[in-house]
Amino acid sequence: MATPDLPLEALAHALSANRLAGQAGQTLFLRARPGAALRGLGLALRCTQTFKPVFDALQRDGFEVEAEDAPVAPAPLVLLLPPRQKEETRALLAQAVLRCAPGGRVVASVANDEGARSVEKDLARLTGLSGSLAKHHCRVFWSPPLEGAHDAALLAEWQTLDRIRPILGGRFRSRPGVFAWDRIDPASQLLADALPANLRGSAADLGAGWGFLADALLTRCAGITALDLFEAEQRALALAEQNLVSQAQRVALGFHWHDVAAGLPKKYDVIVSNPPFHALARGERPDIGRRFIEVAASSLNRNGQLWLVANRHLPYEAVLEARFEQVRVAAESAGFKVIAATGARA
Protein backbone atom coordinates (compact mmCIF):
# COMPACT_ATOMS: atom_id res chain seq x y z
CA MET A 1 0.00 0.00 0.00
CA ALA A 2 1.32 3.45 -0.92
CA THR A 3 2.32 5.75 1.93
CA PRO A 4 -0.30 8.52 2.29
CA ASP A 5 0.78 11.99 1.23
CA LEU A 6 -0.20 13.73 4.46
CA PRO A 7 0.56 17.35 3.38
CA LEU A 8 -1.59 16.82 0.29
CA GLU A 9 -4.42 15.32 2.34
CA ALA A 10 -4.22 18.16 4.86
CA LEU A 11 -4.30 20.69 2.01
CA ALA A 12 -7.41 19.09 0.51
CA HIS A 13 -9.10 19.10 3.92
CA ALA A 14 -8.34 22.79 4.46
CA LEU A 15 -9.61 23.76 1.02
CA SER A 16 -12.88 21.99 1.66
CA ALA A 17 -13.39 22.91 5.32
CA ASN A 18 -12.62 26.60 4.80
CA ARG A 19 -14.26 26.98 1.38
CA LEU A 20 -10.98 28.27 -0.05
CA ALA A 21 -11.57 26.50 -3.37
CA GLY A 22 -14.77 28.35 -4.11
CA GLN A 23 -13.16 31.21 -6.02
CA ALA A 24 -13.83 31.51 -9.74
CA GLY A 25 -11.18 30.55 -12.27
CA GLN A 26 -8.51 27.94 -12.62
CA THR A 27 -6.34 27.01 -9.63
CA LEU A 28 -2.55 27.00 -9.94
CA PHE A 29 -0.75 24.25 -7.98
CA LEU A 30 3.02 24.75 -7.59
CA ARG A 31 5.06 21.59 -6.90
CA ALA A 32 1.85 19.62 -7.33
CA ARG A 33 1.55 15.99 -6.35
CA PRO A 34 -1.29 13.67 -7.34
CA GLY A 35 -3.66 11.99 -4.92
CA ALA A 36 -7.22 10.87 -4.39
CA ALA A 37 -7.84 13.66 -1.85
CA LEU A 38 -7.12 16.30 -4.45
CA ARG A 39 -9.10 14.63 -7.21
CA GLY A 40 -12.11 14.57 -4.92
CA LEU A 41 -12.24 18.37 -4.78
CA GLY A 42 -13.01 18.67 -8.48
CA LEU A 43 -10.75 21.70 -9.00
CA ALA A 44 -9.74 22.93 -12.45
CA LEU A 45 -6.00 22.66 -11.86
CA ARG A 46 -2.93 23.86 -13.67
CA CYS A 47 0.02 22.06 -12.10
CA THR A 48 3.75 22.71 -12.17
CA GLN A 49 6.27 19.99 -11.37
CA THR A 50 9.91 19.40 -12.34
CA PHE A 51 10.37 15.90 -10.84
CA LYS A 52 9.70 13.49 -13.70
CA PRO A 53 8.04 10.58 -11.82
CA VAL A 54 5.54 12.97 -10.25
CA PHE A 55 5.10 14.92 -13.51
CA ASP A 56 4.21 11.65 -15.24
CA ALA A 57 1.84 10.61 -12.44
CA LEU A 58 -0.02 13.92 -12.66
CA GLN A 59 -0.43 13.48 -16.41
CA ARG A 60 -1.72 9.93 -15.91
CA ASP A 61 -4.34 11.34 -13.52
CA GLY A 62 -5.49 13.72 -16.24
CA PHE A 63 -4.14 16.97 -14.79
CA GLU A 64 -2.71 19.78 -16.91
CA VAL A 65 0.95 19.89 -15.87
CA GLU A 66 3.88 22.02 -16.99
CA ALA A 67 7.51 22.54 -16.08
CA GLU A 68 7.99 24.83 -13.12
CA ASP A 69 9.45 27.72 -15.09
CA ALA A 70 6.80 27.69 -17.81
CA PRO A 71 4.95 31.05 -17.97
CA VAL A 72 1.39 30.88 -16.66
CA ALA A 73 -1.35 33.46 -16.19
CA PRO A 74 -2.15 34.66 -12.65
CA ALA A 75 -4.66 32.50 -10.78
CA PRO A 76 -7.24 33.38 -8.11
CA LEU A 77 -6.03 30.50 -5.97
CA VAL A 78 -2.38 29.36 -5.77
CA LEU A 79 -1.58 26.15 -3.89
CA LEU A 80 1.88 24.92 -3.00
CA LEU A 81 3.65 22.09 -1.21
CA PRO A 82 6.91 23.76 -0.17
CA PRO A 83 10.17 21.76 -0.34
CA ARG A 84 12.61 21.32 2.53
CA GLN A 85 15.40 23.66 1.42
CA LYS A 86 14.97 27.13 2.96
CA GLU A 87 16.09 29.37 0.10
CA GLU A 88 14.17 27.31 -2.43
CA THR A 89 11.03 27.50 -0.29
CA ARG A 90 11.23 31.26 0.12
CA ALA A 91 11.71 31.69 -3.63
CA LEU A 92 8.66 29.47 -4.19
CA LEU A 93 6.57 31.56 -1.78
CA ALA A 94 7.57 34.66 -3.74
CA GLN A 95 6.66 32.91 -6.99
CA ALA A 96 3.26 31.98 -5.55
CA VAL A 97 2.55 35.61 -4.66
CA LEU A 98 3.66 36.83 -8.08
CA ARG A 99 1.40 34.29 -9.79
CA CYS A 100 -1.63 35.10 -7.63
CA ALA A 101 -4.32 37.23 -9.29
CA PRO A 102 -5.52 40.41 -7.53
CA GLY A 103 -7.83 39.42 -4.71
CA GLY A 104 -6.62 35.82 -4.76
CA ARG A 105 -5.06 33.70 -2.03
CA VAL A 106 -1.94 31.62 -1.54
CA VAL A 107 -2.42 28.35 0.38
CA ALA A 108 0.50 26.16 1.57
CA SER A 109 0.72 22.84 3.39
CA VAL A 110 3.82 21.52 5.17
CA ALA A 111 4.46 18.54 7.44
CA ASN A 112 5.34 19.47 11.01
CA ASP A 113 8.67 17.66 10.83
CA GLU A 114 9.49 19.37 7.53
CA GLY A 115 9.53 22.87 9.01
CA ALA A 116 5.84 23.80 8.96
CA ARG A 117 6.11 26.50 11.63
CA SER A 118 9.06 28.15 9.89
CA VAL A 119 7.34 28.25 6.49
CA GLU A 120 4.14 29.56 8.10
CA LYS A 121 6.11 32.42 9.64
CA ASP A 122 7.71 33.14 6.27
CA LEU A 123 4.33 33.47 4.53
CA ALA A 124 3.13 35.65 7.40
CA ARG A 125 6.12 37.95 6.86
CA LEU A 126 5.49 38.11 3.12
CA THR A 127 1.71 38.54 2.94
CA GLY A 128 0.22 38.20 6.39
CA LEU A 129 -2.07 35.29 7.27
CA SER A 130 -5.83 35.04 7.38
CA GLY A 131 -6.06 31.46 8.61
CA SER A 132 -4.33 28.18 9.45
CA LEU A 133 -5.16 24.71 10.71
CA ALA A 134 -3.41 21.58 11.91
CA LYS A 135 -4.27 18.22 10.33
CA HIS A 136 -2.46 14.90 9.75
CA HIS A 137 0.67 16.15 11.58
CA CYS A 138 0.82 19.02 9.09
CA ARG A 139 -0.01 22.71 9.06
CA VAL A 140 -2.00 24.41 6.32
CA PHE A 141 -1.99 28.21 6.20
CA TRP A 142 -3.17 30.86 3.77
CA SER A 143 -2.83 34.50 2.91
CA PRO A 144 -5.57 37.11 2.99
CA PRO A 145 -6.93 38.18 -0.41
CA LEU A 146 -3.94 39.79 -2.12
CA GLU A 147 -3.75 43.09 -3.91
CA GLY A 148 0.01 42.79 -4.33
CA ALA A 149 2.72 41.68 -1.94
CA HIS A 150 2.36 42.68 1.70
CA ASP A 151 6.10 43.33 1.74
CA ALA A 152 7.32 44.26 -1.76
CA ALA A 153 10.97 44.57 -0.71
CA LEU A 154 10.96 41.11 0.86
CA LEU A 155 9.22 39.72 -2.22
CA ALA A 156 11.96 41.09 -4.47
CA GLU A 157 14.66 39.66 -2.18
CA TRP A 158 13.15 36.19 -1.92
CA GLN A 159 12.35 35.98 -5.62
CA THR A 160 16.07 35.51 -6.40
CA LEU A 161 17.10 33.25 -3.52
CA ASP A 162 17.20 30.07 -5.63
CA ARG A 163 18.89 31.67 -8.64
CA ILE A 164 21.63 29.83 -10.53
CA ARG A 165 25.09 30.84 -9.31
CA PRO A 166 28.76 29.78 -9.49
CA ILE A 167 29.94 27.26 -6.89
CA LEU A 168 33.25 25.64 -5.95
CA GLY A 169 35.32 28.59 -7.06
CA GLY A 170 33.35 29.07 -10.24
CA ARG A 171 34.11 25.64 -11.70
CA PHE A 172 30.41 24.65 -11.68
CA ARG A 173 27.01 26.32 -11.55
CA SER A 174 24.19 25.25 -9.27
CA ARG A 175 21.17 26.50 -7.34
CA PRO A 176 19.50 25.84 -3.97
CA GLY A 177 17.11 22.91 -3.91
CA VAL A 178 18.97 20.41 -6.09
CA PHE A 179 20.80 17.57 -4.33
CA ALA A 180 24.12 18.65 -2.77
CA TRP A 181 23.64 21.97 -4.50
CA ASP A 182 26.69 23.82 -3.13
CA ARG A 183 29.18 21.02 -2.61
CA ILE A 184 30.54 17.79 -4.02
CA ASP A 185 28.62 14.91 -2.48
CA PRO A 186 31.21 12.68 -0.72
CA ALA A 187 29.69 9.50 -2.19
CA SER A 188 30.03 10.88 -5.71
CA GLN A 189 33.60 11.96 -4.96
CA LEU A 190 34.44 8.45 -3.72
CA LEU A 191 33.02 6.94 -6.91
CA ALA A 192 34.84 9.46 -9.11
CA ASP A 193 38.14 8.63 -7.42
CA ALA A 194 37.55 4.89 -7.83
CA LEU A 195 36.75 4.91 -11.56
CA PRO A 196 39.47 3.18 -13.58
CA ALA A 197 40.99 5.40 -16.25
CA ASN A 198 40.64 2.70 -18.93
CA LEU A 199 36.83 2.78 -19.08
CA ARG A 200 35.82 3.29 -22.69
CA GLY A 201 32.95 3.31 -25.16
CA SER A 202 29.43 4.64 -24.69
CA ALA A 203 28.39 5.51 -21.14
CA ALA A 204 25.37 6.56 -19.10
CA ASP A 205 25.07 8.36 -15.77
CA LEU A 206 21.89 7.37 -13.93
CA GLY A 207 20.68 10.08 -11.57
CA ALA A 208 23.21 12.58 -12.91
CA GLY A 209 22.31 15.53 -10.67
CA TRP A 210 24.03 18.79 -11.62
CA GLY A 211 26.76 16.94 -13.48
CA PHE A 212 29.74 16.43 -11.16
CA LEU A 213 30.09 12.68 -11.68
CA ALA A 214 29.61 12.94 -15.45
CA ASP A 215 32.32 15.59 -15.62
CA ALA A 216 34.65 13.46 -13.49
CA LEU A 217 34.05 10.39 -15.69
CA LEU A 218 34.86 12.30 -18.88
CA THR A 219 37.90 13.99 -17.34
CA ARG A 220 39.31 10.72 -15.98
CA CYS A 221 38.45 8.36 -18.83
CA ALA A 222 39.61 9.58 -22.24
CA GLY A 223 38.20 6.45 -23.89
CA ILE A 224 34.57 7.42 -23.23
CA THR A 225 33.18 8.43 -26.62
CA ALA A 226 29.58 9.28 -25.72
CA LEU A 227 27.68 9.95 -22.51
CA ASP A 228 23.96 10.11 -21.79
CA LEU A 229 22.86 11.79 -18.56
CA PHE A 230 19.54 10.65 -17.10
CA GLU A 231 18.07 12.80 -14.33
CA ALA A 232 14.54 12.99 -12.91
CA GLU A 233 14.85 16.57 -11.59
CA GLN A 234 14.64 18.99 -14.50
CA ARG A 235 16.26 21.83 -12.54
CA ALA A 236 19.35 19.68 -11.92
CA LEU A 237 19.52 18.46 -15.51
CA ALA A 238 19.54 22.03 -16.82
CA LEU A 239 22.52 22.73 -14.57
CA ALA A 240 24.34 19.62 -15.81
CA GLU A 241 23.95 20.85 -19.37
CA GLN A 242 25.62 24.12 -18.40
CA ASN A 243 28.36 22.41 -16.40
CA LEU A 244 29.38 20.08 -19.24
CA VAL A 245 29.63 22.66 -22.02
CA SER A 246 33.40 22.25 -22.25
CA GLN A 247 33.12 18.43 -22.40
CA ALA A 248 30.62 18.64 -25.27
CA GLN A 249 33.44 19.83 -27.54
CA ARG A 250 34.99 16.34 -27.62
CA VAL A 251 32.26 13.87 -26.56
CA ALA A 252 28.70 13.32 -27.78
CA LEU A 253 26.44 14.20 -24.85
CA GLY A 254 22.74 13.52 -24.31
CA PHE A 255 20.66 15.11 -21.56
CA HIS A 256 17.48 13.23 -20.70
CA TRP A 257 14.77 14.38 -18.27
CA HIS A 258 13.80 10.83 -17.44
CA ASP A 259 12.60 8.49 -14.69
CA VAL A 260 15.29 5.80 -14.67
CA ALA A 261 12.86 3.37 -13.05
CA ALA A 262 10.98 3.30 -16.36
CA GLY A 263 14.01 1.76 -18.11
CA LEU A 264 16.50 3.09 -20.65
CA PRO A 265 16.08 3.29 -24.45
CA LYS A 266 19.46 1.78 -25.42
CA LYS A 267 22.48 -0.17 -24.19
CA TYR A 268 25.85 1.05 -22.98
CA ASP A 269 29.41 -0.12 -22.36
CA VAL A 270 29.67 1.71 -19.02
CA ILE A 271 27.05 2.86 -16.50
CA VAL A 272 27.89 4.97 -13.45
CA SER A 273 25.43 5.89 -10.75
CA ASN A 274 24.98 7.42 -7.33
CA PRO A 275 21.32 6.39 -7.09
CA PRO A 276 18.92 8.32 -4.87
CA PHE A 277 17.52 6.55 -1.82
CA HIS A 278 14.91 9.15 -0.96
CA ALA A 279 11.90 10.30 -2.97
CA LEU A 280 10.10 13.60 -2.37
CA ALA A 281 9.02 12.53 1.10
CA ARG A 282 11.21 11.60 4.04
CA GLY A 283 12.27 8.02 4.73
CA GLU A 284 14.75 5.75 3.03
CA ARG A 285 13.71 4.18 -0.26
CA PRO A 286 16.23 1.40 -1.03
CA ASP A 287 13.78 0.11 -3.63
CA ILE A 288 14.79 3.04 -5.86
CA GLY A 289 18.45 2.00 -5.81
CA ARG A 290 17.53 -1.64 -6.44
CA ARG A 291 15.49 -0.57 -9.45
CA PHE A 292 18.45 1.47 -10.76
CA ILE A 293 20.57 -1.69 -10.54
CA GLU A 294 17.94 -3.73 -12.39
CA VAL A 295 17.73 -1.12 -15.14
CA ALA A 296 21.52 -0.91 -15.40
CA ALA A 297 21.80 -4.70 -15.76
CA SER A 298 19.25 -4.63 -18.57
CA SER A 299 21.01 -1.74 -20.30
CA LEU A 300 24.62 -2.92 -20.46
CA ASN A 301 26.29 -4.45 -23.49
CA ARG A 302 28.07 -7.77 -23.19
CA ASN A 303 31.09 -7.24 -20.91
CA GLY A 304 29.71 -3.84 -19.90
CA GLN A 305 30.57 -2.43 -16.47
CA LEU A 306 28.44 -0.90 -13.73
CA TRP A 307 30.16 1.41 -11.24
CA LEU A 308 27.85 2.37 -8.39
CA VAL A 309 28.21 4.09 -5.02
CA ALA A 310 25.84 3.72 -2.08
CA ASN A 311 25.62 4.11 1.67
CA ARG A 312 27.29 1.06 3.17
CA HIS A 313 24.15 -0.08 4.99
CA LEU A 314 21.84 -0.11 1.97
CA PRO A 315 20.80 -3.67 1.00
CA TYR A 316 21.82 -3.84 -2.66
CA GLU A 317 23.94 -7.01 -2.61
CA ALA A 318 21.11 -9.46 -3.31
CA VAL A 319 19.97 -7.75 -6.50
CA LEU A 320 23.57 -7.18 -7.62
CA GLU A 321 24.44 -10.85 -7.22
CA ALA A 322 21.22 -11.89 -8.95
CA ARG A 323 21.81 -9.65 -11.97
CA PHE A 324 25.62 -9.74 -12.37
CA GLU A 325 28.14 -12.56 -12.60
CA GLN A 326 30.94 -10.62 -10.92
CA VAL A 327 30.42 -8.14 -8.10
CA ARG A 328 33.14 -6.59 -5.94
CA VAL A 329 33.55 -3.71 -3.54
CA ALA A 330 36.09 -1.44 -5.20
CA ALA A 331 36.36 1.19 -2.45
CA GLU A 332 34.96 2.07 0.97
CA SER A 333 35.15 5.26 2.99
CA ALA A 334 33.12 7.30 5.49
CA GLY A 335 30.11 5.01 5.39
CA PHE A 336 30.00 4.61 1.61
CA LYS A 337 30.87 1.72 -0.69
CA VAL A 338 31.77 1.68 -4.39
CA ILE A 339 30.63 -1.45 -6.19
CA ALA A 340 31.92 -2.63 -9.55
CA ALA A 341 29.78 -5.22 -11.37
CA THR A 342 30.24 -6.97 -14.72
CA GLY A 343 28.60 -9.81 -16.61
CA ALA A 344 25.02 -8.61 -16.56
CA ARG A 345 22.47 -11.40 -16.57
CA ALA A 346 19.25 -11.17 -18.54
Side-chain angles (χ1 to χ4, degrees):
M1 180 178 294
T3 302
D5 188 334
L6 296 181
L8 182 63
E9 293 189 4
L11 176 64
H13 171 79
L15 292 174
S16 178
N18 293 273
R19 300 181 181 178
L20 297 173
Q23 303 179 50
Q26 197 171 45
T27 297
L28 177 61
F29 193 175
L30 305 178
R31 303 294 173 89
R33 300 196 293 261
L38 192 65
R39 290 194 299 272
L41 292 172
L43 293 173
L45 283 176
R46 288 179 295 146
C47 302
T48 71
Q49 179 55 253
T50 57
F51 189 59
K52 195 62 164 67
V54 179
F55 182 98
D56 291 344
L58 286 164
Q59 283 196 325
R60 288 193 298 270
D61 277 1
F63 291 113
E64 178 186 337
V65 56
E66 300 167 321
E68 178 184 87
D69 295 329
V72 293
L77 183 64
V78 181
L79 314 177
L80 65 153
L81 298 174
R84 294 172 62 184
Q85 209 278 339
K86 187 173 185 178
E87 288 84 359
E88 183 187 16
T89 288
R90 286 180 167 175
L92 189 66
L93 289 173
Q95 182 185 149
V97 171
L98 289 167
R99 293 186 173 188
C100 189
R105 294 180 188 270
V106 172
V107 186
S109 179
V110 187
N112 292 338
D113 60 1
E114 295 279 342
R117 287 287 189 184
S118 176
V119 181
E120 183 177 12
K121 290 177 182 177
D122 280 346
L123 184 61
R125 289 177 62 194
L126 192 60
T127 67
L129 293 180
S130 69
S132 67
L133 63 80
K135 185 75 173 178
H136 300 313
H137 306 289
C138 302
R139 290 194 65 79
V140 186
F141 37 92
W142 51 94
S143 72
L146 298 179
E147 298 296 339
H150 179 74
D151 188 329
L154 193 63
L155 177 71
E157 176 188 339
W158 285 5
Q159 187 180 353
T160 62
L161 285 179
D162 71 339
R163 72 188 185 282
I164 296 172
R165 68 201 70 182
I167 62 167
L168 302 175
R171 171 63 187 86
F172 299 104
R173 293 174 65 77
S174 188
R175 66 189 301 185
V178 302
F179 174 69
W181 80 269
D182 60 349
R183 66 191 186 280
I184 297 173
D185 172 59
S188 293
Q189 184 68 70
L190 182 65
L191 176 54
D193 293 341
L195 293 173
N198 63 355
L199 292 176
R200 59 191 310 105
S202 62
D205 182 355
L206 309 188
W210 53 257
F212 165 75
L213 184 57
D215 180 76
L217 172 68
L218 295 174
T219 300
R220 191 178 184 91
C221 307
I224 297 296
T225 56
L227 175 63
D228 283 335
L229 288 78
F230 294 91
E231 170 56 44
E233 176 49 61
Q234 189 182 65
R235 299 163 87 242
L237 187 67
L239 293 167
E241 195 162 358
Q242 294 184 37
N243 289 327
L244 270 69
V245 166
S246 62
Q247 300 285 8
Q249 298 173 9
R250 69 174 187 86
V251 178
L253 298 178
F255 298 90
H256 306 276
W257 185 39
H258 183 73
D259 179 6
V260 169
L264 303 184
K266 57 188 282 190
K267 291 185 178 289
Y268 299 92
D269 300 308
V270 177
I271 291 179
V272 298
S273 185
N274 179 4
F277 60 98
H278 294 280
L280 291 184
R282 272 188 174 178
E284 288 190 358
R285 289 283 307 278
D287 59 298
I288 299 175
R290 288 194 290 265
R291 179 58 186 158
F292 270 50
I293 294 167
E294 293 271 5
V295 169
S298 299
S299 305
L300 281 166
N301 292 322
R302 184 176 179 84
N303 300 321
Q305 299 184 50
L306 169 64
W307 286 80
L308 174 141
V309 67
N311 289 55
R312 190 177 293 162
H313 72 278
L314 291 173
Y316 293 158
E317 280 71 17
V319 66
L320 283 162
E321 291 171 4
R323 294 304 308 269
F324 290 90
E325 293 178 359
Q326 299 179 359
V327 178
R328 65 183 178 90
V329 175
E332 290 185 274
S333 178
F336 301 109
K337 56 189 175 186
V338 172
I339 297 169
T342 56
R345 298 187 175 105

